[in-house]
Amino acid sequence: MNQTLHRTSLLFAATVLILLLGWALRVHAIEVRSFWADEGWTMLLSEGPGLDDVTRTLAADQHPPLFFAAFRLWRGAAGDSEFATRAFSALIGMLAVAGMVPLGRGLYGPLVGVLAALLLALADNHIDLSQEVRHYSLLTTLAIASSLFYVRWWRRPTRASRIGYVLASIALLYTHYLGGFVLAAQLVHLLATARPWRRLEDGLFLFGATCLGFLPWLPVVLDQNRLRWENPLYYQNALPNSLETYRAVRAALLGSHYGLLAGLLLVGLVYLVYRRGEGEPRVRVRWRPVWPAFYLAVWIGLMAGLTVLINEQRQFLTVRNFILVTPPILLLVAHGLDNLDRVARWLLVSVIAVVSLTTVDARRHYPDWRALTRTVAAYHGASEPVLMDVWVGDFAVRYYVDRQLGEATPRVSLREWRDTYRDQFLPRLLDYLRPLDSFWLVYWGDPALPEYGSVIGEAGFERTATFSIDHLGSPIYSFRYDRATDAVAARFGDALTLRRFALPAPARAGQPIDVALWWTADQPLALDYSISVMLFDGAGNRVVQQDSAPLDGASPTSAWEPGALKFDAHRLALPAGLPPGEYELGVLVYWYGDRVPLPATGPGTPPGDYAALGTVAILP
C-alpha cells in the first residue's frame, strides 16, 4: 500500500515538473520571431464585432471556424500583442502535454503516460507550433482528447466517455479537417476490435452522432473544397512527394536523434517480459494486448499513407500538418522506454532530454516583418499610403503597419487588387497614385518591379529610398517613392543639390522634431558626406544639432546616381527648457574626414557654410 502510494506521488510530482518544463519551453522566446503570413491571416480572420462575423468570414476561407472563434474571444480579453496572442496557442499546447498522461495511462499504464507527456513537452515541432497564432496546437490537443475518450469508451463504455468522445470529436472536425484522419483511424480500429455486435453498434452510433454534429458545416466544406483548387494561393506552401520532403517530415517528428526514437517506437509495438532463470535474465516478446499498438499504428499509417496518396493528385502536404501523428509516435516511444529495464530506460530518458534541450530540430524561420515595418515607421510621414505586394500574403505586414504606424494609415494590398481588378489592375493603380505626393511599397520579388514599375514612373514618382531585410538569402524590400521635382532649394558646392524640404510642425521644448530633405547628386561622388541639421535662436546661437549620413547611414552619398532623387530624414531632440519663439533651421554638408563644410548657396540664401531653410515655432 505504501509502495503504491509512493509510486503515485512520484508520478504526480514528475507530471507537475513536466508541465512546468513544457510551459517554460513554450513561452521562451515566444516574441522573438515576427508574425508570419498565416499568423497575420489569423489576425485578419478573427476581426469583427462578433463571432457570427468570424464564422461568415471563415466560410469563405479554407478552414473550419472553431479555433478562430475561440481566439476572437481570447483576443478581446487579452489584447492583440504578440505575446498575448501566441500565449493562447501555448496554453492550448500545454493541455495537449497534460492530456498525454491519462491517454498513455489508458493505453499502457501510468508510467507510459508520464513519459509520453515528457516527450511531447520536449518535442521541438510541438513547441514551434505552440508559439504561433494558428490552430495546430488546438488540433493536437483535440486529437488527444478524442483518443482519450475513445480509449476510455473502448475499455469501459460509460455515459461520460460517450459524451466526451462525441463533443471532442466534433470540436476536432470544427478545428481542422485533418482531424478526420484520427476519426478514420478510430473507425478502422473499432471495426477490427469491437466485439460483440452490440459494442460495435454502440461505437457506430457515436461516429454517427459526431457526423451529425458536423453536418451543418458540410455544405461550407464542399464550397471551400471547390474554391481551394481554383485559387492556387491557398497551396503555395504545399510540398511535393519527394525524398527531401520526407526528410523534413522526419526531422520535425523525430529530430536529429531519429534513429533512437524510431528504434524505441518499434520496441513500443510489443511487450517485453523479463524473466530470471537459473542463468542470465532472458527477455520474452509478447504481442497481446494488441489493440493499443494497433490503434496507434493505424493512426500513424492512415495519416501518412493517405496524405502521400492524396498529395499525388492534389498537392496539400506541409510539414506542420504532420503534428497530427506526433501523439501516437511519442506514445509508442514512451511504451518502448517502459519496455526496457530500469537502468536502460532512465539512461535513454536522460539522453533524450539532454539532446532535446540542447538542440533545435524544428523551428521555422519567419520573415522579420516587424523590423521591416519598423524602418518604414521611422521615416513615414502622416497620411503616406503603404502599398504591399508580398507573394505569400501581406497579412502579417498589415498587422505591423497597423500597430507601428497606426490603424488610420492607408494601406493597399496589391495582391488583392490584382485578383479583384484583373485586366484593370494597372489602370486602377495609376489612378490611385496620381494624386499622391509620396508612398511606400513593401515588396517581395524582383526589385526592378517588372509588372508595374513603368506605371509608377508614369504617375511621376521616383524611388527615393530602399531598405531591405534578408530572409533565407532572399531580400524583402521596403521602397519609398516621392514625386519627381526639378526645384532647387539650395546647392552645396558642385556635389549636392537640395531639391526640397519639409519643415517640422510647431513643437514644445523637450519634444523631438523631424526634418525631411530630398537631394540629388550633381555628379558621381567618391565621398560619403554627412548632413548636419541645426536650429538657431534669434541671436544666431546654435541650440541643437543632429549630424548623420543620409537616412542614418542607410543611403551613403557615394552610392547616389547623379540626378536621382534621394530621401533623407533627421530627428532633432529639443532641449528641455528651450524658450518659446521662432528658431531658424539650417542645413550644412561636410565630409567627416576634414569636416570642412561645402559652400551653400541658393534662392534667398546668402553664400555661407549652411543653407537657411526657414523657421520652426517652439510653443510655450
Side-chain angles (χ1 to χ4, degrees):
M1 182 70 175
N2 289 337
Q3 186 175 0
T4 302
L5 181 61
H6 178 67
R7 178 181 172 84
T8 302
S9 300
L10 285 177
L11 291 177
F12 176 77
T15 301
V16 172
L17 292 175
I18 288 168
L19 292 177
L20 292 174
L21 173 65
W23 176 249
L25 292 174
R26 280 154 184 77
V27 298
H28 173 67
I30 196 172
E31 297 176 279
V32 168
R33 295 176 294 180
S34 299
F35 281 157
W36 70 297
D38 281 11
E39 289 180 287
W41 186 228
T42 299
M43 301 300 290
L44 190 66
L45 289 175
S46 62
E47 291 178 352
L51 297 183
D52 54 337
D53 300 278
V54 176
T55 303
R56 281 194 294 268
T57 302
L58 263 295
D61 185 52
Q62 57 172 328
H63 296 299
L66 180 60
F67 172 82
F68 300 92
F71 176 70
R72 175 67 184 85
L73 295 175
W74 170 272
R75 181 180 179 184
D80 60 357
S81 69
E82 290 157 302
F83 179 85
T85 52
R86 284 173 168 165
F88 181 64
S89 294
L91 287 169
I92 294 174
M94 288 308 303
L95 294 178
V97 175
M100 292 289 270
V101 176
L103 179 56
R105 182 173 61 241
L107 288 166
Y108 292 109
L111 182 57
V112 171
V114 174
L115 290 173
L118 174 62
L119 294 171
L120 186 60
L122 295 170
D124 285 334
N125 195 32
H126 190 258
I127 294 171
D128 188 51
L129 293 175
S130 294
Q131 289 189 337
E132 66 172 42
V133 194
R134 293 296 286 168
H135 40 210
Y136 296 102
S137 62
L138 184 59
L139 170 66
T140 311
T141 299
L142 289 175
I144 291 171
S146 174
S147 296
L148 172 61
F149 286 111
Y150 174 75
V151 168
R152 286 181 173 176
W153 172 86
W154 197 95
R155 282 190 172 275
R156 184 171 176 268
T158 63
R159 179 180 298 177
S161 63
R162 291 185 178 96
I163 294 174
Y165 173 77
V166 172
L167 293 179
S169 298
I170 292 174
L172 177 62
L173 291 176
Y174 275 100
T175 296
H176 202 298
Y177 302 131
L178 289 177
F181 285 124
V182 179
L183 302 188
Q186 293 166 356
L187 182 59
V188 171
H189 183 264
L190 176 73
L191 294 174
T193 61
R195 300 293 184 271
W197 167 250
R198 290 189 62 182
R199 183 76 176 277
L200 179 60
E201 185 180 19
D202 186 27
L204 293 175
F205 173 80
L206 297 180
F207 276 94
T210 300
C211 295
L212 189 63
F214 189 68
L215 188 61
W217 191 254
L218 186 59
V220 177
V221 177
L222 297 176
D223 190 59
Q224 289 177 336
N225 188 64
R226 175 191 58 79
L227 177 64
R228 68 167 51 108
W229 303 121
E230 291 177 357
N231 191 341
L233 172 68
Y234 286 132
Y235 287 99
Q236 288 186 357
N237 290 326
L239 300 172
N241 291 337
S242 67
L243 185 59
E244 184 178 356
T245 297
Y246 302 149
R247 285 174 175 167
V249 172
R250 182 191 67 190
L253 294 179
L254 300 176
S256 57
H257 48 303
Y258 60 88
L260 173 60
L261 295 188
L264 289 170
L265 185 150
L266 294 176
V267 174
L269 291 170
V270 298
Y271 300 83
L272 300 183
V273 180
Y274 295 85
R275 291 185 176 181
R276 290 185 178 273
E278 295 180 358
E280 294 295 322
R282 48 194 188 85
V283 181
R284 184 165 64 89
V285 177
R286 182 164 56 85
W287 289 92
R288 294 184 178 182
V290 175
W291 71 269
F294 178 64
Y295 172 55
L296 299 176
V298 170
W299 182 349
I300 298 169
L302 199 66
M303 165 71 183
L306 289 180
T307 296
V308 171
L309 183 64
I310 296 172
N311 200 57
E312 281 293 332
Q313 306 299 321
R314 301 280 193 176
Q315 199 169 94
F316 78 109
L317 189 158
T318 64
V319 173
R320 58 185 177 271
N321 286 350
F322 278 90
I323 189 65
L324 193 63
V325 296
T326 295
I329 287 174
L330 297 185
L331 284 162
L332 286 173
V333 171
H335 185 233
L337 288 167
D338 186 46
N339 268 331
L340 304 178
D341 66 59
R342 182 177 300 177
V343 174
R345 177 194 308 141
W346 297 116
L347 175 62
L348 291 183
V349 168
S350 300
V351 169
I352 292 171
V354 170
V355 171
S356 299
L357 290 171
T358 56
T359 61
V360 177
D361 297 303
R363 186 169 178 86
R364 286 167 298 159
H365 299 279
Y366 303 154
D368 196 353
W369 300 115
R370 185 196 302 122
L372 190 72
T373 53
R374 187 185 296 124
T375 302
V376 174
Y379 304 108
H380 180 266
S383 76
E384 291 174 351
V386 178
L387 280 58
M388 302 168 292
D389 194 0
V390 181
W391 74 275
V392 292
D394 49 50
F395 314 114
V397 183
R398 301 183 198 190
Y399 172 83
Y400 290 108
V401 167
D402 288 348
R403 288 184 64 83
Q404 296 179 5
L405 282 73
E407 295 185 2
T409 301
R411 51 175 170 76
V412 173
S413 172
L414 296 183
R415 181 188 57 78
E416 290 183 355
W417 274 25
R418 194 178 287 110
D419 292 341
T420 301
Y421 297 111
R422 300 181 184 275
D423 293 343
Q424 293 301 308
F425 166 63
L426 294 180
R428 179 70 178 83
L429 178 60
L430 181 61
D431 290 342
Y432 182 81
L433 295 178
R434 275 178 174 150
L436 301 178
D437 290 321
S438 57
F439 66 91
W440 291 82
L441 173 63
V442 177
Y443 185 79
W444 195 348
D446 184 349
L449 304 183
E451 181 183 8
Y452 48 78
S454 59
V455 171
I456 294 175
E458 184 180 346
F461 288 92
E462 287 189 58
R463 185 185 299 168
T464 59
T466 299
F467 302 94
S468 68
I469 59 171
D470 179 79
H471 176 61
L472 302 178
S474 173
I476 305 175
Y477 300 97
S478 56
F479 299 128
R480 179 186 172 91
Y481 287 89
D482 289 284
R483 190 164 293 282
T485 179
D486 292 327
V488 176
R491 295 188 185 277
F492 294 84
D494 58 357
L496 297 171
T497 297
L498 180 63
R499 293 294 176 182
R500 61 187 177 97
F501 57 88
L503 292 174
R508 287 183 169 81
Q511 295 180 340
I513 58 173
D514 294 313
V515 180
L517 309 170
W518 286 264
W519 302 88
T520 57
D522 297 331
Q523 58 179 304
L525 301 177
L527 302 178
D528 287 322
Y529 288 100
S530 296
I531 312 298
S532 179
V533 180
M534 305 164 291
L535 209 59
F536 299 90
D537 63 16
N541 299 312
R542 186 166 17 192
V543 296
V544 63
Q545 176 178 346
Q546 192 271 339
D547 289 35
S548 71
L551 284 183
D552 298 313
S555 181
T557 58
S558 61
W560 291 3
E561 296 181 3
L565 190 65
K566 296 296 179 180
F567 172 75
D568 184 20
H570 296 261
R571 171 164 289 188
L572 282 74
L574 298 179
L578 188 66
E582 296 289 327
Y583 290 78
E584 184 182 64
L585 187 71
V587 173
L588 178 147
V589 178
Y590 65 92
W591 177 52
Y592 68 90
D594 57 20
R595 304 190 70 85
V596 176
L598 296 179
T601 59
T605 301
D609 291 341
Y610 72 90
L613 303 185
T615 59
V616 178
I618 306 301
L619 304 176

